[in-house]
Amino acid sequence: MCRWLAYSGSAIPLEELLYKPDHSLIDQSLHAQLAGQTTNGDGFGVGWYGTGADTPAIFRSLVPAWNDRNLREIASYVESPLFLAHVRASTGAAVQQTNCHPFRYGRWLWVHNGLVRDFLRVKRELALAVDESLYACIEGSTDSELLFYLALTLGLEDDPPSAVERMVSLVEDTGHRHAIEAPLQMTIATSDGESVWAFRYSSEERSQSLYYSSDVRTLRRLYPERALLHEVSDETRMIVSEPLVDLAGAWKEVPESSYCLVREGVDELHKFRSR
Amino acid sequence: MCRWLAYSGSAIPLEELLYKPDHSLIDQSLHAQLAGQTTNGDGFGVGWYGTGADTPAIFRSLVPAWNDRNLREIASYVESPLFLAHVRASTGAAVQQTNCHPFRYGRWLWVHNGLVRDFLRVKRELALAVDESLYACIEGSTDSELLFYLALTLGLEDDPPSAVERMVSLVEDTGHRHAIEAPLQMTIATSDGESVWAFRYSSEERSQSLYYSSDVRTLRRLYPERALLHEVSDETRMIVSEPLVDLAGAWKEVPESSYCLVREGVDELHKFRSR
Amino acid sequence: MCRWLAYSGSAIPLEELLYKPDHSLIDQSLHAQLAGQTTNGDGFGVGWYGTGADTPAIFRSLVPAWNDRNLREIASYVESPLFLAHVRASTGAAVQQTNCHPFRYGRWLWVHNGLVRDFLRVKRELALAVDESLYACIEGSTDSELLFYLALTLGLEDDPPSAVERMVSLVEDTGHRHAIEAPLQMTIATSDGESVWAFRYSSEERSQSLYYSSDVRTLRRLYPERALLHEVSDETRMIVSEPLVDLAGAWKEVPESSYCLVREGVDELHKFRSR
Amino acid sequence: MCRWLAYSGSAIPLEELLYKPDHSLIDQSLHAQLAGQTTNGDGFGVGWYGTGADTPAIFRSLVPAWNDRNLREIASYVESPLFLAHVRASTGAAVQQTNCHPFRYGRWLWVHNGLVRDFLRVKRELALAVDESLYACIEGSTDSELLFYLALTLGLEDDPPSAVERMVSLVEDTGHRHAIEAPLQMTIATSDGESVWAFRYSSEERSQSLYYSSDVRTLRRLYPERALLHEVSDETRMIVSEPLVDLAGAWKEVPESSYCLVREGVDELHKFRSR
């Protein structure tokens, strides 16, 4: 199982979420608690948007995140209003930078936790479904990157929820044709630099965990002593595969087969279905 | 430009060819002489056959070969009667282990120097031509690995020269359909653990250099003071992209559009053509 | 906490102990059970003796061991009658090859689990105690490597138990002078290619775990269905920081403040004291 | 031989100097021209000051710089008014991050090209001369880092030229006592975030090359078509081991046994001597 987080709100140093919380993403990668039996030592990545830049920057590394000195420098130096981070536990594909999330295409970033079941049996057929002009952009060998390029093929840049639904449908149809019972397990976050969409879905309807942070105003009332909560804007939101801190009332579960949309002034939760 | 060597003969420690000659493969990677303007620092690999093992072992690394301590240990420890080594200068694809040569499939190894021109324009079409059962074995993103899986698709395991000719033909036809004038530049070595086939070919008939070593008995007469020449069998042969030592008469050029076959008691040179 | 194993007996492929047991060293590095809260993802190393070679070979790597493809190749290719392997969890020093165990000097290998408390306060004083001719051989920045060079300075090559006792005494005296209460925690294995010495000691007399394997003849009677037990000689022994398999009667604890000596035909357990 | 550059002036993206010039530092690392026979593939580092941060950030990597994707991202993202970059060609010490320049202590950065001759013979004695409180900060195994800690010991933070002169004197005296004829070869840059000091010196008075850029106003008159020259302030200066672009009049040699001091409004050249 991989782990990821998405942050949208006031610009903060990356280290505020990657290192400082009790159960930060880096700490999770060392000590699995809620979800997991395995260690996330198979690659780390973070992608962040600047203020005004067209393309997000990404840093991806194979050194276990907890001892990656370059990551620590970057996380302390970079401030960003919107970033996605990911720690990987390989489900088979090689440990290499091009298999680390987030994946990037133009302004878009993509992180995934989960898997395409029996991926090697359906990989070729799914790869053929990628638009010809996009095919050559695929650099790695993971199911996660292929899901991204399928979603791009199916209109991610125009209507993300609809494109992801069609991507899921295509993967499930392909899997079923190969007699794979529950072809897909996923939580996914994607962003264009302004909005974040986060999806929770699995063919078997037992999706891996996903949480979003409560309204910052509520959190300030509950935890007046937490300085960071007073520094960030009311609009600030986090979406995480596993809670970063143990604060009662701080995290709400994204329900099964749902997605959230987070953007300045917008905070929505919708049903998600394969179509 | 990449560089490679193939060795077949009496079992010797890998370091005898990788490190010890005046102009060893490792030294070539630091100081290009004959061929090149660039440094081969984008990955190293060596694959070797044991005595009796079904599958060759491979060691591939991203650390520049001249300072890779694991490679030095391995090269000193491992003795092998047949091995292929390669230093890479990337023509674009990511620097990662899965892009390092040799590539391996079952008993087969494969190294390549050269390129498929405008690879990203023809990559998808070539990938579709790979046999369905082989497609999922592709792990990296290079043209070289794809050429290997095309050759396997076209019968490499049964008749290597014919399979490589058909592979070349397929790549050239595909390139021409995309208006690419000279689609392919290659020197390639491949082995099943008993024979080595080495090909020199390019669509424009200006192929990169390839040499094979002279008969060991001749070399012994010419250079009676060279100890290694007296230790190896009469059957010992090397094929190299660039001479390893400056000994007059030691190296013969593989002619344009040709291939050699080397095996115990066999030493042949044939014309090679796209078909 | 680090983990390590030492093997002495019939030559076996490294993978028999590194990968195959239920709770192999590689598996331990992913899923701590007995001892640990943390993951051993900060470097892996194995050193092995050949048959006749003067100097052992070593392979050390920073990629988490469970996904290191070069390690898997080496572990399958190399057969050895005596090897030491180690997975590292850094207690502060940088994650780099020169900090990975085993350390090597001439014929000698050394692995360590534990730490010198408040190492940075005593590092300079300990480094000055290293023999002048050995000082320049120190390549990394760990306490473990420094303990090795202190033991070499104090006669490791002539009388290992006595040299290690004097090394411990020197470290404890130095620590006490700096008001460090319990200066040293250690399990250590060292070998010259013929014997293995394994030490369990800590200043506070609560040393980390250490086990040695029971007599192979006993194990064969207990577990007649285990093939490997019938292939190895009666003299075969393992010493491990944590049991590799859950077999009742297979492992005996090395007592607090003790050391074992294992060599063909010899199998001794002695008291160990700081002097 | 290593290569380095120091930049001081208007904040610019790192890539403007690392990648864009005809003969950028990254390009130099691939294709040695002026100085060198070898390739600089043994590690890259850049340290930069932000606007207001107390401590500079550093990024150091072992991947050959020309294909390091993280470096490319950082170089495009980070803008800085003062940075030091370095490509390493090892003279023996291990290729590892802690041996990559720049070295950092508090606000101070340090890069070095050159070597302490017969370093292993004098290493211990030089290490003992490092202040006790600084000794434990040494993380790597290079001569370059040790020179830095010697200079810090001898007052770098108070009077850099004088501290470097005393450091040189100490190294030469130590070398001479060991019968080493010309103990030191160096070009060095160091900075506290406001000033850059660059030294050119060698015991044999044949120091490796060092250049500083001409006055920007002069350059604008000579090359009115170069956009970057119009964007940066009049105070902008570069100091480089090898010219970045072939522009007549753009570079002046730092004379043998000299140092420059560059700071906003200050631009001085002085004699340098061992004392």
Side-chain angles (χ1 to χ4, degrees), chain B residues 7-255:
Chain B
Y7 174 87
S8 165
S10 304
I12 59 169
L14 305 183
E15 65 182 359
E16 286 294 336
L17 296 191
L18 299 186
Y19 289 97
K20 293 195 177 168
D22 303 341
H23 191 49
S24 73
L25 195 68
I26 303 298
D27 183 65
Q28 287 178 37
S29 72
L30 252 176
H31 310 107
Q33 288 190 352
L34 199 136
Q37 56 278 43
T38 48
T39 299
N40 296 88
D42 300 335
F44 174 89
V46 58
W48 66 92
Y49 295 88
T51 47
D54 287 328
T55 304
I58 52 178
F59 174 85
R60 305 194 287 186
S61 166
L62 304 183
V63 181
W66 55 87
N67 268 320
D68 187 329
R69 295 186 176 201
N70 285 328
L71 175 58
R72 194 169 277 278
E73 298 282 321
I74 302 290
S76 146
Y77 178 79
V78 173
E79 299 200 0
S80 167
L82 201 167
F83 56 94
L84 274 59
H86 186 274
V87 286
R88 185 172 175 237
S90 171
T91 54
V95 175
Q96 57 192 25
Q97 254 184 48
T98 55
N99 284 350
C100 291
H101 310 218
F103 302 101
R104 177 176 62 189
Y105 179 80
R107 287 190 62 79
W108 290 78
L109 291 177
W110 178 274
V111 293
H112 169 233
N113 171 31
L115 79 166
V116 174
R117 289 215 174 70
D118 281 318
F119 179 51
L120 294 185
R121 284 169 58 202
V122 293
K123 183 175 184 182
R124 183 173 181 272
E125 195 166 331
L126 294 178
L128 299 199
V130 172
D131 186 83
E132 277 196 49
S133 67
L134 293 170
Y135 183 90
C137 302
I138 299 174
E139 289 201 301
S141 55
T142 60
D143 48 2
S144 306
E145 186 188 24
L146 196 45
L147 296 182
F148 182 32
Y149 281 96
L150 287 171
L152 285 163
T153 297
L154 297 166
L156 183 71
E157 293 164 291
D158 296 322
D159 181 351
S162 160
V164 174
E165 287 183 349
R166 275 179 284 181
M167 176 274 280
V168 166
S169 172
L170 187 150
V171 172
E172 292 191 325
D173 289 352
T174 306
H176 293 149
R177 272 201 309 283
H178 286 78
I180 299 165
E181 208 172 319
L184 185 62
Q185 167 73 249
M186 71 180 216
T187 67
I188 282 172
T190 188
S191 177
D192 61 356
E194 295 184 356
S195 307
V196 177
W197 293 263
F199 302 86
R200 182 176 184 220
Y201 179 81
S202 60
S203 307
E204 67 270 41
E205 294 186 17
R206 283 197 305 277
S207 302
Q208 292 181 328
S209 61
L210 192 62
Y211 298 86
Y212 62 102
S213 59
S214 299
D215 185 277
V216 172
R217 282 158 296 201
T218 311
L219 288 173
R220 282 190 204 117
R221 277 197 305 275
L222 284 168
Y223 304 99
E225 75 287 4
R226 296 260 164 170
L228 184 64
L229 295 172
H230 296 274
E231 290 162 17
V232 300
S233 73
D234 292 356
E235 309 291 343
T236 296
R237 288 290 179 280
M238 279 169 281
I239 308 167
V240 297
S241 54
E242 206 170 310
L244 300 188
V245 284
D246 285 331
L247 296 181
W251 304 97
K252 296 177 185 169
E253 197 175 23
V254 177

Side-chain angles (χ1 to χ4, degrees), chain A residues 77-96:
Chain A
Y77 178 78
V78 172
E79 300 200 0
S80 167
L82 201 167
F83 57 94
L84 274 59
H86 185 275
V87 284
R88 184 169 176 239
S90 169
T91 55
V95 175
Q96 57 193 24

Side-chain angles (χ1 to χ4, degrees), chain C residues 86-155:
Chain C
H86 185 275
V87 285
R88 183 168 177 240
S90 170
T91 55
V95 175
Q96 57 193 25
Q97 254 184 49
T98 56
N99 284 348
C100 291
H101 312 217
F103 302 103
R104 176 176 63 189
Y105 179 80
R107 287 191 62 79
W108 291 77
L109 291 178
W110 178 275
V111 292
H112 168 233
N113 173 29
L115 79 167
V116 174
R117 289 211 175 72
D118 281 319
F119 178 51
L120 294 185
R121 284 170 56 203
V122 294
K123 184 175 184 181
R124 184 172 180 274
E125 195 167 332
L126 294 177
L128 298 200
V130 171
D131 186 83
E132 277 195 49
S133 66
L134 293 169
Y135 183 90
C137 301
I138 299 175
E139 290 201 300
S141 55
T142 61
D143 48 1
S144 306
E145 186 189 23
L146 196 45
L147 297 181
F148 182 32
Y149 280 95
L150 287 171
L152 284 163
T153 297
L154 297 165

Side-chain angles (χ1 to χ4, degrees), chain D residues 53-273:
Chain D
D54 288 326
T55 304
I58 52 178
F59 175 85
R60 305 196 286 186
S61 167
L62 304 183
V63 180
W66 56 86
N67 269 320
D68 187 328
R69 295 186 176 201
N70 284 328
L71 175 58
R72 194 168 275 281
E73 298 281 322
I74 302 292
S76 148
Y77 178 79
V78 172
E79 299 199 0
S80 166
L82 201 168
F83 57 94
L84 274 60
H86 185 273
V87 285
R88 183 170 176 238
S90 171
T91 54
V95 175
Q96 57 192 24
Q97 255 185 46
T98 56
N99 285 348
C100 291
H101 310 218
F103 302 102
R104 176 176 64 190
Y105 179 79
R107 288 190 61 78
W108 289 78
L109 292 178
W110 178 274
V111 293
H112 168 233
N113 172 29
L115 79 167
V116 174
R117 288 214 174 70
D118 280 319
F119 179 51
L120 294 185
R121 285 170 58 202
V122 294
K123 184 176 183 182
R124 184 174 180 271
E125 195 167 330
L126 295 178
L128 298 200
V130 172
D131 186 82
E132 277 195 51
S133 66
L134 292 170
Y135 183 89
C137 301
I138 299 175
E139 288 201 302
S141 55
T142 60
D143 49 1
S144 306
E145 186 189 23
L146 196 45
L147 297 182
F148 182 32
Y149 280 96
L150 288 171
L152 285 163
T153 297
L154 297 167
L156 183 71
E157 293 164 291
D158 296 323
D159 181 351
S162 159
V164 174
E165 285 183 349
R166 274 179 285 181
M167 176 274 279
V168 165
S169 172
L170 188 150
V171 172
E172 291 189 326
D173 289 351
T174 307
H176 292 149
R177 271 201 308 283
H178 286 77
I180 298 164
E181 207 173 320
L184 186 61
Q185 168 71 251
M186 71 179 214
T187 66
I188 281 172
T190 188
S191 176
D192 61 356
E194 295 184 357
S195 306
V196 177
W197 292 264
F199 302 87
R200 183 177 183 219
Y201 178 81
S202 59
S203 307
E204 68 270 41
E205 293 186 19
R206 283 198 305 277
S207 303
Q208 291 181 328
S209 60
L210 192 63
Y211 299 86
Y212 62 102
S213 60
S214 299
D215 185 277
V216 172
R217 283 158 296 202
T218 311
L219 289 174
R220 283 191 203 116
R221 277 197 305 275
L222 284 168
Y223 304 99
E225 74 288 3
R226 294 261 165 172
L228 185 64
L229 295 173
H230 296 275
E231 289 162 17
V232 300
S233 73
D234 292 356
E235 309 292 342
T236 295
R237 288 290 179 280
M238 278 168 281
I239 308 167
V240 297
S241 54
E242 207 171 308
L244 301 187
V245 285
D246 285 331
L247 296 181
W251 303 97
K252 296 178 184 167
E253 198 175 22
V254 177
E256 183 63 54
S257 303
S258 305
Y259 74 91
C260 354
L261 162 59
V262 170
R263 180 171 56 222
E264 178 145 9
V266 176
D267 192 356
E268 301 173 1
L269 190 62
H270 298 275
K271 286 300 292 173
F272 176 87
R273 68 184 60 81

